[in-house]
Amino acid sequence: MMKTFKVLSALLNYPSGELIAAIPELARVLDQEGLVQPGIRRELDVLLQEIASGDVYDLQERYGLLFDRSKTLALHLFEHVHGEGRDRGQAMVDLRAMYDNADLVIAGNELPDYLPLFLEFLATRELADARELLGQTSHIIAALAERLGRRQSSYRAVFDALLQIAADQPRAEIVDELLKAADVDPMDLHALDAAWEDEEVRFGPGGGDQAACGHDNLIAKLRHAKRAVNAPPSQLQ
């Protein structure tokens, strides 16, 4: 089990006093495991320092404007490939079954495709398996990284780290298709409402791009990855 996935999950969760207090431990885990390459590790240090030295309310406001009010930065994976389409429901069922088989308990009402939760799941897998599964989301991760880079957000480092760890790198045409969705000013409530009503993005058969690797492939590979793990997820400590 690689705790690095737990660290990256924690960094993508809503900021709290507990997260701020845990920053030294998170940094220590990254250094001990060495899964993140030095250049990206330095980028992560910027985010770690911002969280460690920030005011919790300012951190929460920044987080909300990025991930809660921007559809194109939503941390729910299937939002980017299914939108609110009916296929998303079956994809959720399949992903939930993977978690159940791994004895991963979902607390509260969080959806299975929430990226921090997915990373918690990856932490229960053997590294090679986790890297393969992460690679199936690489085009989504890359689009999120690009959008965060455009905003000059230090959160991009988390997504750069995930891309570096993933077994498969994203295909440029898939990322370009995801990036066609317009970014909306998070303070423009009317534009935000319109953006959340847009149709889902489609790839492959029936889509405009006829790409060979799209959301159907992602669902299929996630569905076939239902291999049980013996131990339940543990805490960093």
Side-chain angles (χ1 to χ4, degrees):
M1 183 183 79
M2 299 299 292
K3 295 179 181 179
T4 294
F5 290 114
K6 283 183 169 289
V7 171
L8 299 176
S9 173
L11 292 175
L12 289 180
N13 269 295
Y14 190 68
S16 64
E18 290 79 7
L19 176 61
I20 293 173
I23 290 299
E25 180 188 359
L26 302 185
R28 188 160 51 249
V29 169
L30 291 173
D31 290 336
Q32 288 174 346
E33 294 193 338
L35 191 59
V36 179
Q37 294 176 355
I40 299 176
R41 176 69 183 83
R42 288 191 291 271
E43 294 175 16
L44 282 171
D45 269 338
V46 175
L47 177 60
L48 290 166
Q49 182 58 34
E50 286 180 3
I51 295 174
S53 61
D55 174 81
V56 66
Y57 298 110
D58 290 341
L59 294 170
Q60 289 172 350
E61 181 180 16
R62 178 182 69 165
Y63 181 97
L65 289 174
L66 280 173
F67 300 118
D68 293 340
R69 296 185 65 174
S70 175
K71 182 178 182 181
T72 55
L73 287 176
L75 292 179
H76 290 90
L77 295 170
F78 294 145
E79 176 64 42
H80 298 279
V81 289
H82 294 306
E84 297 303 318
R86 61 185 180 182
D87 288 344
R88 187 179 183 187
Q90 185 59 51
M92 293 289 192
V93 171
D94 294 337
L95 194 52
R96 180 61 182 263
M98 288 175 59
Y99 296 160
D100 290 343
N101 287 341
D103 295 328
L104 181 68
V105 178
I106 301 178
N109 297 319
E110 192 53 73
L111 295 174
D113 66 337
Y114 184 51
L115 180 55
L117 178 60
F118 183 62
L119 296 177
E120 287 279 342
F121 168 68
L122 294 185
T124 70
R125 317 297 288 185
E126 295 296 330
L127 179 58
D129 188 33
R131 293 182 67 240
E132 193 277 332
L133 286 170
L134 183 61
Q136 302 311 312
T137 70
S138 63
H139 51 291
I140 301 172
I141 300 298
L144 289 166
E146 175 64 23
R147 291 192 183 282
L148 287 165
R150 293 174 183 177
R151 291 167 169 80
Q152 298 183 320
S153 170
S154 54
Y155 275 103
R156 174 173 184 161
V158 178
F159 295 87
D160 286 342
L162 292 173
L163 285 173
Q164 177 244 296
I165 296 169
D168 297 320
Q169 293 305 297
R171 289 176 54 177
E173 64 268 28
I174 302 292
V175 178
D176 290 343
E177 188 69 23
L178 288 170
L179 290 172
K180 286 180 180 180
D183 275 326
V184 177
D185 181 353
M187 304 307 293
D188 186 340
L189 299 183
H190 292 295
L192 285 173
D193 286 342
W196 283 102
E197 292 175 359
D198 285 346
E199 292 185 7
E200 62 187 296
V201 176
R202 286 190 175 276
F203 304 107
D209 229 20
Q210 299 298 315
C213 177
H215 68 269
D216 292 330
N217 186 49
L218 171 63
I219 297 169
K221 292 202 174 185
L222 288 174
R223 182 180 296 132
H224 289 304
K226 300 175 186 174
R227 293 189 293 274
V229 291
N230 294 325
S234 60
Q235 299 301 313
L236 281 173
Q237 297 180 347

